Amino acid sequence: MASISQTPRSQPITALRDLRLPNIRQRLRHGRRSPLARACAAAPGQRVHDAFAGWGTDGLVLAALGCHVHMSECSPTVYEVLHSRLARLAKFHDLAGTLTWALEDAQAKWRDNPLFDVVYLDPMFGAHPKTALPAKHMQVLAALAHEVGEDETPALVEDARRVASGRVVVKRRAHAAPHQRPDWQIRARSIRFDIYRPI
């Protein structure tokens, strides 16, 4: 498992080295009023598992807000980019002690009986229903990341509800049908967060 104080063990593959990712400072401008922060009840000391870390943007935002975030990423290629990115961002954001990450399957992590207040699930959305393509960095992620099928997600949510002590948060497109009826929702312009109480 890596932490924010470590340097990358290897460089990302050449094709992704110059990938431009969202600016964390811009994402933080709304602070704890942002939909992501409200959905995850972001607060200092809140223990969050970012189960599908991808490029790590949402997890970084939550860590910058004081949460203790653990990121899991199961794709080796995506993880190499994530690892490199987090180490570079450590130069600009004081996240020491609030962020760890690992190349691992999220459900395998749950079997270790971790202590998480929030489990955050952001699986790939799949093909976009409109003709407009998503941002370049998301197109690349979609091509590389492990895809969780729509039929797999309800069971994944149920497993997460047995791990989280506070809530499970599932990121969805704004108009997508929920995987199962959430306890409540927080909506943004193009996405929403379905929130489930723990079992």
Side-chain angles (χ1 to χ4, degrees):
M1 183 170 66
S3 69
I4 200 69
S5 61
Q6 292 180 305
T7 56
R9 293 169 294 183
S10 63
Q11 293 296 318
I13 61 175
T14 303
L16 298 179
R17 189 169 293 154
D18 293 328
L19 191 63
R20 297 295 184 260
L21 302 180
N23 186 295
I24 299 301
R25 290 190 183 93
Q26 182 179 359
R27 293 285 301 275
L28 284 168
R29 69 184 185 276
H30 296 299
R32 295 188 181 90
R33 295 173 299 156
S34 72
L36 171 66
R38 288 188 289 122
C40 294
Q46 183 84 305
R47 301 165 299 180
V48 179
H49 184 207
D50 186 355
F52 298 95
W55 302 141
T57 299
D58 286 346
L60 278 165
V61 170
L62 294 171
L65 292 172
C67 298
H68 294 285
V69 180
H70 178 73
M71 297 184 184
S72 296
E73 176 52 54
C74 66
S75 164
T77 304
V78 174
Y79 177 77
E80 288 299 328
V81 180
L82 172 68
H83 186 87
S84 179
R85 183 189 190 204
L86 296 179
R88 291 197 310 272
L89 284 173
K91 300 175 183 178
F92 307 103
H93 300 274
D94 183 14
L95 300 176
T98 64
L99 187 62
T100 57
W101 61 95
L103 175 63
E104 63 189 359
D105 177 80
Q107 289 174 292
K109 178 70 175 177
W110 297 340
R111 288 193 287 270
D112 294 335
N113 297 314
L115 297 175
F116 292 120
D117 300 308
V118 177
V119 173
Y120 177 62
L121 302 175
D122 180 14
M124 293 304 302
F125 289 160
H128 198 284
K130 298 182 180 180
T131 56
L133 291 173
K136 177 68 178 294
H137 66 278
M138 294 308 296
Q139 293 180 50
V140 175
L141 181 60
L144 296 174
H146 170 70
E147 184 174 345
V148 178
E150 288 286 312
D151 57 336
E152 300 175 77
T153 306
L156 186 69
V157 171
E158 289 302 296
D159 287 347
R161 292 177 64 198
R162 293 181 174 89
V163 175
S165 63
R167 63 182 65 183
V168 173
V169 179
V170 183
K171 187 176 184 179
R172 297 284 285 160
R173 285 199 183 103
H175 302 295
H179 296 296
Q180 55 204 80
R181 185 173 181 176
D183 291 295
W184 73 98
Q185 297 175 321
I186 293 178
R187 293 182 174 272
R189 186 176 65 177
S190 60
I191 61 169
R192 72 168 193 274
F193 299 95
D194 293 345
I195 305 169
Y196 301 87
R197 291 189 176 94
I199 295 176

